[in-house]
Structure formats: structure tokens, C-alpha cells
Amino acid sequence: MKRILLFVILFIVFMTNCTFASEGSVYEDRFHNTFRITLPNDWQISNFHGTLFGATSPSSSTIKVYISLGYTEIEPSEEEIDRFANFLIENAGKLEAKHIIMVDNRKAIRFITVDNNKSVYKVSYLFYKKGVIVRVEGDGNLSQLDEDQKSFDQIMSTFEFLF
């Protein structure tokens, strides 16, 4: 009877660990208390100059979080956010797609730009909350775009503001 009980307990512990591992690694910005995001388990947190947070996938694709503090608590209009997105697009390459999506119950602009000369892409997400403009960028080799976009969208579906 003790063996069966021990087996059941070990099985429950094993299944709990497997479930947690499949959920990914959670990163929480405790220093600025701004956001929480969940990465796939095989991604590594990386340091990138000028970013608040960054991570690298096994295929060397990256995701980076940039935070800009606004000077007003008044939410910018969709036109203002769109103008900022267009400015970023002009400096990133050829626009492939641009959509309005939801990130943590906030409207966000997701746009994809490519540079065929360098065979690279950039997937960008731009959104705002309470004086904070958040820009999240994923980039990598153009041949990885379809696969990486799914990963980036999955990661962004876990993005949560902490304030």
C-alpha cells in the first residue's frame, strides 16, 4: 500500500512539473513594475542595448521590449499612435502587413516589415497605457518569418501590464 501511495504522489509531482514546463518561463519587470510576459521554455533572456527586456530563440530570432514614458496621462489618439507606427515603418524597411490587434485588452498596432537586401524581417507591436508607450519588436532571418510570427503572437498573448 505504501508503494502505491508513493507511486501516486511521485506521479502527481511529475505531472505538475510537466504542466508547468509546458507553460513557459515567466519574466516580470519588478524594477519598473510595468509588465509580465511568458516565453517558450527554450528561449533565453538576453541583454540588448536600449531595451528594457530581450530574449533570443534557439533559431537566433529575438524579441525586445522598449518602454517610452509619455508626458501626459491622456491616451494618444489612434491617429497619433498610427503616425508613430508609420515613422517606425519608414525606418525599418518595406511594409508587409499592418493590423490592429489586442494586447492585454488594449488596442495595439502589429506591423511586419522586411528588408529583402539583408534577408531580415521585423514584427513590431505598438500600444499605450497610462503614460507608457510600449514597443515590442521581434526580428530574425526572413526564412523564419512564418514560424517566428506564430511564436511572437503567442508570446504577446501573454503580455500583461502590472499597473
Side-chain angles (χ1 to χ4, degrees), residues 41-60:
N41 285 322
D42 53 356
W43 283 57
Q44 298 294 315
I45 294 175
S46 305
N47 290 320
F48 298 101
H49 180 71
T51 64
L52 182 60
F53 169 78
T56 305
S57 75
S59 69
S60 299

Side-chain angles (χ1 to χ4, degrees), residues 3-17:
R3 286 184 184 167
I4 292 173
L5 184 59
L6 179 61
F7 176 77
V8 169
I9 291 171
L10 288 174
F11 180 75
I12 291 170
V13 169
F14 175 76
M15 291 306 293
T16 302
N17 286 339

Side-chain angles (χ1 to χ4, degrees), residues 3-163:
R3 286 184 184 167
I4 292 173
L5 184 59
L6 179 61
F7 176 77
V8 169
I9 291 171
L10 288 174
F11 180 75
I12 291 170
V13 169
F14 175 76
M15 291 306 293
T16 302
N17 286 339
C18 288
T19 301
F20 178 76
S22 68
E23 291 176 2
S25 304
V26 177
Y27 171 82
E28 188 172 301
D29 175 30
R30 292 189 179 141
F31 183 74
H32 298 97
N33 201 34
T34 51
F35 70 94
R36 177 183 307 121
I37 195 167
T38 303
L39 300 169
N41 285 322
D42 53 356
W43 283 57
Q44 298 294 315
I45 294 175
S46 305
N47 290 320
F48 298 101
H49 180 71
T51 64
L52 182 60
F53 169 78
T56 305
S57 75
S59 69
S60 299
S61 301
T62 64
I63 193 162
K64 303 166 190 152
V65 177
Y66 301 88
I67 301 285
S68 300
L69 297 179
Y71 296 107
T72 180
E73 289 291 316
I74 299 170
E75 186 166 348
S77 67
E78 288 184 26
E79 293 81 22
E80 290 172 312
I81 293 289
D82 200 44
R83 275 195 302 259
F84 186 44
N86 288 336
F87 169 77
L88 295 172
I89 291 166
E90 288 173 11
N91 294 304
K94 179 183 171 232
L95 179 64
E96 288 291 309
K98 184 176 175 184
H99 299 91
I100 300 294
I101 63 168
M102 298 301 283
V103 174
D104 193 23
N105 297 317
R106 311 281 309 168
K107 281 188 180 178
I109 298 174
R110 179 189 66 200
F111 51 94
I112 302 169
T113 55
V114 297
D115 183 336
N116 288 315
N117 294 330
K118 296 179 182 176
S119 295
V120 295
Y121 71 85
K122 186 177 291 185
V123 178
S124 301
Y125 305 82
L126 187 63
F127 46 102
Y128 173 90
K129 183 175 181 182
K130 291 187 180 176
V132 177
I133 296 172
V134 179
R135 178 172 45 115
V136 180
E137 291 184 350
D139 58 38
N141 189 302
L142 193 53
S143 64
Q144 290 285 122
L145 174 58
D146 292 335
E147 182 180 329
D148 288 347
Q149 182 182 348
K150 292 175 190 170
S151 294
F152 296 141
D153 286 345
Q154 176 60 37
I155 291 168
M156 290 308 297
S157 73
T158 70
F159 187 99
E160 294 177 70
F161 284 106
L162 297 176
F163 59 96

